[in-house]
Amino acid sequence: MRRGILGLLSLLSALGLSSCWDGPVTQQSYIRQSGTWSEFQYAGAEGPFLVEIRGEPFSGQQAPLEALVLSALDGAFPERPTRFTLDPAQAAHPNYRLSIMFDPPKMARGSNLCAGEALAMAPNEPGKVNVLMSFCAKGEMLSESWGWVKKISD
């Protein structure tokens, strides 16, 4: 999942949402010991992989943000080309999903996202867009990454 967040943050960086001297920063903070990559391959092998996007760091720009995220993810796994969708009805295995939250609360974890908990968007630091991303299977967290980029403007 680290490549996914790196791809997303790299694309955001290239589009000017961060400057070269201020990030982006990423960290994979959890990955289940075994089977995570195999489950990812299974979830995307027969059709699109479900993506859930929470938070709107740029007011009124949710649709362009969603398109940007899906575009970044499409090229993030070259060893296993995978298509992504925001529509659960299109997902080959909707019990598997990549859950991404922009500006999550400081104490939020990927397990909160996977459990479907309602989390209020709460910017952690002015001038930054924080990102929490988790690979979920049947409500359980298989991996978690977080990162940030410098926020230029809304």
Side-chain angles (χ1 to χ4, degrees):
M1 295 299 84
R2 183 175 178 162
R3 287 187 181 169
I5 192 74
L6 286 173
L8 171 61
L9 293 176
S10 295
L11 184 56
L12 292 174
S13 177
L15 292 175
L17 299 178
S18 70
S19 61
C20 60
W21 58 88
D22 285 324
V25 171
T26 62
Q27 176 181 353
Q28 184 167 5
S29 50
Y30 173 80
I31 187 165
R32 190 179 66 179
Q33 288 295 323
S34 64
T36 300
W37 179 243
S38 295
E39 291 204 49
F40 177 81
Q41 290 176 320
Y42 166 76
E46 298 171 8
F49 191 101
L50 182 59
V51 177
E52 170 190 51
I53 299 175
R54 299 185 189 192
E56 186 177 351
F58 303 100
S59 299
Q61 299 296 312
Q62 192 67 19
L65 176 67
E66 290 172 350
L68 179 67
V69 169
L70 291 178
S71 176
L73 289 171
D74 278 340
F77 304 95
E79 64 277 4
R80 181 64 169 178
T82 305
R83 293 177 297 131
F84 296 88
T85 183
L86 298 172
D87 183 357
Q90 291 182 4
H93 299 284
N95 285 332
Y96 290 87
R97 75 181 189 279
L98 188 60
S99 187
I100 302 168
M101 184 168 189
F102 290 91
D103 290 327
K106 283 188 178 189
M107 300 306 291
R109 295 290 317 259
S111 57
N112 302 119
L113 298 178
C114 292
E117 295 176 24
L119 299 172
M121 192 172 136
N124 292 330
E125 298 178 49
K128 291 184 178 177
V129 175
N130 294 291
V131 182
L132 174 63
M133 184 164 86
S134 187
F135 172 37
C136 310
K138 302 171 190 145
E140 294 184 34
M141 179 177 73
L142 301 185
S143 70
E144 173 189 79
S145 297
W146 66 268
W148 64 265
V149 293
K150 184 177 178 187
K151 184 176 185 178
I152 301 299
S153 63
D154 279 338

